[in-house]
Amino acid sequence: MKLRVAVIAILCIGLFCSFQYLSDQGYAQGKKAAPAGKAVAMPKITVLNPMGTPPPIQVKAMAERPATLDGKTLYFVNTGYIGTDRLMAEMMDWFKKNYPKTNLVLRSGSMSSITPALQAEIGEKADAAIVGLGH
Amino acid sequence: MPGLRIQYFRGPVWGKTNEQIRKMIVEGNNPITGRPVVQELVEKLTKPLTAEEKKTGELKPPMGPATYTGTPDELQKLFLDNRYTDFMPVILPTEEKVAEMLKGTSHKPEEPLGKMNPQSEAGETWSYTVKTAAINAVMAGAKPEYLPVILAIGASGQEGISVSDNGFMSGAVINGPIRDEIKLAYEIGAVGPFAQANTTIGRAWNLLSINGANCGKIGTTYMGTVGNPMNAINIIIAENERDSPFKPLSVRRGYKEGENVITLFRGWGILSAANWKADAWRNDMNYAQIIKDICDQQGSMHGCIAVLSPPIANFVKEAGYDTAEKFTEFVRQPVSVPTTDALNRIYQIAGDVVRPQGTGLAAAPAGPAAGAGRGAAPAGPATGAAPAGAPPAGARAGGPAGGGRGGAGGGRGGFGGGGINFSVVVTGASNNNYWMMGGMAPGAAIQIDKWR
């Protein structure tokens, strides 16, 4: 009999503790309103900005544009991404039909950059350039 | 570059016929403005520069204050709104928690750790310190004892989230006693989120990439067409060196046995290999050949990796490949694969450097002539399927597994290139015959202990 009472008492205590635990969890997660006189204030804390540092960006002025494409040299640069060759070919066909007085030049670059030599050539010989990225 | 005149059109270009390119792209509309592409192109070529476009000088992006103050709920929302997170709640990085994290290394908080960009030379390369990595490690839920591993990753400059429309993910293989020291999982569930170390190291890598290097921002630094679920925490693999019949990956890459080394990978990820081939569930499984078949079928552009459980690795060993090097040579042996326009076009991207020899695939046509791009498909001689069960003679030499430090192939971090870029890693438990395969290539290997 004593053993039965002891077991029931332990179970009751365990149940009470569980309810208390769940109750505290409820307040902590904001699911329950705190009872009067037991307000749970959310303290303010200070945390650190997690960001790294970007490089400063040097802004370059864009190249002056020609007023018209007639009589001008227009470069097309194929950057080598898959399908860009055919995209450039179709674009050049369109310009041939619609801007017959424009000199069209096709060059190949690479996916990641245009060589300094090609940049220099464009700067020297082109009035405008379309650098193509298909893919 | 502010002011750069960019013309958008409805992609993708590849996979379209010339007629489709003409009608859908050249003669089509800009999907953003709705205006004809060619009309906008001509305007961009001829319209005078605006005052804004003529500006020069230096731009410094606003980075926000050094600290934020608020209630935990407010700060969680702020971190989410500022895109400091991976869209999951984070451990808020208080000065105290970050100081505790920094106890995991002897390096000074303000020491420059590395530079990183979202795998695009056209993008900006950000820099970050040891403290930046520690802050992000706290946010990920990492412990101070994991910090040397996280710093080793950060020092590599290898991004966790690539910009690529491929939807790449990142992975790492860890060798050495640190696996037990920090309780990395390498038995049941080894490549999944079933240990704090594996999970939070992978997450810290991503958070450092997001915050330290501006990775993973959709539309600018992230363009994965369908994304990749493995971007969540990456794949952090601790090799099961105890049960593996092969030398640890780090040793095969030139490091000493017992050295703590992390080897980074990038690619599409890994999948269970059991269902890659129909009716492959047999009593007499030739695992070596099945692995080779999968590698041959999937191509090598971004590497082929076999993540074997110990039983599968031991089957491979018993088939005659008692070293990973011999097995790698077997897998890299040339075979005949179907010649398709698609494959030719894929190899055209990277040129002959990644074209498997003996595949019958034509060399990429020289020059960007219209209508070109699809190599003719000569009937190349099939160069011998590998004999099953024995290491072949005359296999191609080299390969990542036999190579030295620094990874296979070219490119930043050594990713890509070099024929079938095959790697084999052993991890997991021995409770069944499962293994995984995927498209991942190894990159840099870094010593962890120098970041203690």
Side-chain angles (χ1 to χ4, degrees):
Chain A
M1 185 61 186
K2 283 183 180 176
L3 181 62
R4 190 182 299 171
V5 170
V7 169
I8 290 171
I10 288 168
L11 283 175
C12 287
I13 291 167
L15 204 57
F16 176 78
C17 290
S18 297
F19 276 138
Q20 185 59 49
Y21 172 75
L22 291 172
S23 181
D24 291 343
Q25 287 291 301
Y27 297 142
Q29 294 172 21
K31 291 176 180 174
K32 293 178 67 176
K38 199 180 176 184
V40 178
M42 293 278 270
K44 289 195 174 190
I45 58 173
T46 296
V47 297
L48 304 181
N49 185 328
M51 299 200 49
T53 306
I57 299 169
Q58 299 298 329
V59 181
K60 295 178 181 175
M62 298 293 108
E64 290 294 338
R65 265 44 175 178
T68 175
L69 293 178
D70 287 344
K72 305 295 183 184
T73 297
L74 177 56
Y75 266 56
F76 291 79
V77 181
N78 168 12
T79 52
Y81 268 94
I82 194 164
T84 307
D85 52 350
R86 295 188 296 129
L87 172 67
M88 286 297 163
E90 290 298 332
M91 276 193 183
M92 290 179 76
D93 279 351
W94 186 90
F95 275 91
K96 272 179 201 165
K97 287 174 193 163
N98 293 279
Y99 287 84
K101 294 177 185 173
T102 303
N103 177 35
L104 308 180
V105 177
L106 177 63
R107 290 285 183 268
S108 291
S110 77
M111 290 188 205
S112 58
S113 64
I114 298 173
T115 62
L118 182 54
Q119 287 183 38
E121 182 184 333
I122 291 170
E124 183 186 340
K125 297 180 178 175
D127 295 292
I130 297 173
V131 180
L133 187 68
H135 208 7
Chain B
M1 176 60 67
L4 195 64
R5 292 182 176 180
I6 297 171
Q7 179 61 48
Y8 293 101
F9 53 78
R10 188 171 296 285
V13 174
W14 71 314
K16 288 187 172 70
T17 64
N18 287 4
E19 186 182 3
Q20 286 172 327
I21 290 173
R22 183 168 62 254
K23 288 184 175 173
M24 298 170 71
I25 297 175
V26 178
E27 296 173 359
N29 289 338
N30 179 332
I32 298 169
T33 65
R35 299 178 62 225
V37 163
V38 283
Q39 185 183 331
E40 289 189 344
L41 255 181
V42 171
E43 286 174 6
K44 288 185 168 104
L45 291 168
T46 58
K47 202 172 171 182
L49 297 182
T50 64
E52 193 66 25
E53 287 172 326
K54 290 181 180 177
K55 278 185 181 172
T56 58
E58 188 174 285
L59 278 183
K60 284 187 178 175
M63 302 308 297
T67 60
Y68 296 99
T69 300
T71 66
D73 283 353
E74 288 168 348
L75 291 169
Q76 288 284 356
K77 183 176 185 309
L78 183 143
F79 271 45
L80 190 61
D81 292 346
N82 285 1
R83 189 60 173 89
Y84 291 164
T85 75
D86 49 9
F87 301 104
M88 292 185 278
V90 294
I91 304 296
L92 291 167
T94 60
E95 190 75 69
E96 296 75 21
K97 285 186 186 299
V98 174
E100 185 65 26
M101 179 61 67
L102 284 164
K103 289 179 182 172
T105 183
S106 60
H107 289 258
K108 297 273 189 295
E110 301 309 325
E111 179 180 327
L113 175 62
K115 294 183 175 182
M116 187 187 289
N117 69 38
Q119 202 205 340
S120 164
E121 278 107 4
E124 299 162 9
T125 298
W126 288 31
S127 55
Y128 43 80
T129 62
V130 167
K131 187 172 183 179
T132 315
I135 294 169
N136 285 280
V138 167
M139 290 168 63
K143 291 181 173 180
E145 54 263 42
Y146 310 162
L147 188 61
V149 181
I150 295 165
L151 293 179
I153 293 171
S156 76
Q158 171 58 39
E159 80 287 342
I161 305 173
S162 161
V163 68
S164 176
D165 44 12
N166 281 272
F168 289 138
M169 51 67 64
S170 297
V173 176
I174 298 175
N175 291 107
I178 196 168
R179 295 166 305 121
D180 292 319
E181 183 187 324
I182 64 174
K183 297 184 174 57
L184 281 157
Y186 53 78
E187 293 188 311
I188 286 182
V191 301
F194 298 104
Q196 188 176 358
N198 304 57
T199 305
T200 60
I201 288 171
R203 191 185 185 201
W205 187 357
N206 276 353
L207 289 174
L208 178 61
S209 305
I210 291 168
N211 294 317
N214 198 32
C215 296
K217 311 292 170 62
I218 286 180
T220 54
T221 63
Y222 183 76
M223 295 296 290
T225 304
V226 293
N228 192 323
M230 285 175 257
N231 281 141
I233 54 167
N234 296 311
I235 304 178
I236 303 299
I237 301 172
E239 266 206 299
N240 189 339
E241 297 177 12
R242 184 194 61 212
D243 296 337
S244 172
F246 305 134
K247 287 181 179 173
L249 178 68
S250 59
V251 175
R252 289 182 260 140
R253 290 175 64 97
Y255 290 93
K256 292 176 189 165
E257 198 120 18
E259 262 189 291
N260 293 314
V261 175
I262 184 166
T263 306
L264 306 182
F265 282 76
R266 182 200 293 135
W268 286 299
I270 54 176
L271 286 171
S272 170
N275 285 320
W276 276 46
K277 187 177 181 184
D279 299 325
W281 296 75
R282 304 290 186 209
N283 290 328
D284 302 319
M285 294 285 280
N286 185 342
Y287 292 99
Q289 186 64 48
I290 291 171
I291 291 165
K292 175 172 175 50
D293 288 347
I294 292 171
C295 276
D296 287 335
Q297 182 176 323
Q298 76 173 31
S300 61
M301 191 169 169
H302 296 295
C304 177
I305 186 170
V307 180
L308 308 181
S309 62
I312 301 297
N314 278 294
F315 276 125
V316 170
K317 178 190 174 188
E318 287 161 15
Y321 308 100
D322 58 349
T323 68
E325 288 83 354
K326 285 181 185 173
F327 183 46
T328 299
E329 284 187 4
F330 165 65
V331 172
R332 287 169 57 87
Q333 243 203 350
V335 294
S336 176
V337 297
T339 300
T340 65
D341 281 352
L343 278 173
N344 268 320
R345 279 183 284 168
I346 286 169
Y347 290 125
Q348 189 195 354
I349 294 175
D352 286 336
V353 67
V354 299
R355 189 183 306 274
Q357 299 301 305
T359 58
L361 291 171
R374 301 186 184 199
T383 48
R396 265 183 283 163
R405 302 181 188 195
R412 188 168 68 85
F415 286 91
I420 295 179
N421 191 351
F422 177 69
S423 305
V424 57
V425 173
V426 180
T427 195
S430 298
N431 56 326
N432 212 331
N433 294 334
Y434 288 108
W435 79 106
M436 302 189 90
M437 295 283 298
M440 293 171 68
I446 308 114
Q447 291 167 305
I448 295 169
D449 290 342
K450 65 168 65 169
W451 292 103
R452 286 186 185 271

